[in-house]
Amino acid sequence: MKSPSADVRGVGFWTGAATGTATGTAAAAAPARAGGSARPRRRGSLLMQMVADVAAQAAAQAGASLARVRLVVGSAFGELGTTVDLLGELSDGGVLSPTRFHNSVHNSAAGALSIAQGNTEAAMSLAAGNDTVAMALLEALAIIDRDGDGDGGPEVLVVVADEPLPAALCRMPAGEAVAAALLLAPPSRSPALARLGGLEPPPAAPPGAFRPVEIDAPCAAIRPLLAAIRAGRPGRVSLSPAGIPGWSIGVEAGSAP
């Protein structure tokens, strides 16, 4: 069976206090554009802000509308910072904020982005620990393979994002916040930054083998893929954190100017 593939039409990247596309150019999206309105930025968590920002970058580069793309948002830990804060308030006898409570679930970022853009297309939120980047891409490739038809197929926005782990759950200094987005479309003759395909799992582990624990910010594993797209470098790229056997994907150089 032929492995699903997709063209990359746009990218976005966010880390720390810096924003910019994976090509190294400055972000074109102001806060209001990132969410279609300022509402997600005023009320949202850091994770929501990152998701809105990289989504706007990728859509702008691809010339796509965030009101019509399908969404796949992957985050290993989701709104864990908000959840820990709420648990602290609860243990101190405080009154929980209804707004913060509904912003503490794992699909908060996807929901906020969909609402802000008036997007009624399908939206998926998922978490897969160290394999979150790979599973988000697998979901997007499956959507395109099922419904794609060249230039008439669906555009799928894949976003992966992780906040630093809360201090209460992190034995070491927290890692940096990171988020990235890829605007994917069915393979066609139209210009693209790259073509992705051949997603492969790691070799089967022997029975009883130790399973690596989830690291801080597993979604940072998307960086090698962004670097390969930026450099137009073909080959196989790991989608798992450094030192952890995991999934990989094939990259073909694109035809975009």
Side-chain angles (χ1 to χ4, degrees):
M1 183 175 64
K2 185 178 179 180
S3 175
S5 60
D7 285 350
V8 180
R9 300 287 177 80
V11 296
F13 183 65
W14 195 106
T15 181
T19 58
T21 67
T23 57
T25 58
R33 285 184 58 194
S37 73
R39 180 181 176 190
R41 293 245 168 195
R42 289 199 302 265
R43 301 178 59 185
S45 64
L46 173 61
L47 189 73
M48 288 186 187
Q49 293 179 33
M50 292 192 297
V51 168
D53 192 28
V54 297
Q57 291 179 45
Q61 185 174 24
S65 169
L66 287 177
R68 292 193 294 272
V69 298
R70 302 189 193 183
L71 297 174
V72 177
V73 180
S75 179
F77 303 112
E79 299 286 350
L80 194 55
T82 300
T83 301
V84 169
D85 288 345
L86 289 173
L87 291 174
E89 293 174 7
L90 188 63
S91 65
D92 292 337
V95 178
L96 298 184
S97 162
T99 298
R100 294 196 71 194
F101 179 76
H102 80 66
N103 284 347
S104 69
V105 296
H106 214 91
N107 61 349
S108 295
L113 183 60
S114 295
I115 293 170
Q117 296 293 336
N119 188 329
T120 59
E121 297 291 337
M124 166 70 72
S125 296
L126 57 85
N130 293 332
D131 294 330
T132 296
V133 172
M135 294 301 99
L137 287 170
L138 177 61
E139 180 70 24
L141 290 171
I143 293 171
I144 289 173
D145 185 59
R146 182 190 66 197
D147 300 335
D149 183 21
D151 291 321
E155 294 176 311
V156 181
L157 180 67
V158 182
V159 182
V160 293
D162 278 320
E163 295 179 336
L165 286 176
L169 301 177
C170 191
R171 298 177 183 177
M172 302 174 64
E176 63 179 343
V178 62
L182 299 175
L183 198 293
L184 303 182
S188 73
R189 295 182 180 180
S190 299
L193 302 175
R195 180 165 294 177
L196 306 182
L199 185 66
E200 293 183 357
F210 173 74
R211 182 181 184 274
V213 297
E214 278 69 30
I215 67 166
D216 193 356
C219 289
I222 199 171
R223 282 175 166 167
L225 177 58
L226 294 181
I229 294 171
R230 176 185 60 193
R233 184 174 64 246
R236 296 208 65 79
V237 178
S238 172
L239 299 175
S240 296
I244 297 176
W247 293 72
S248 63
I249 198 167
V251 179
E252 296 179 19
S255 57

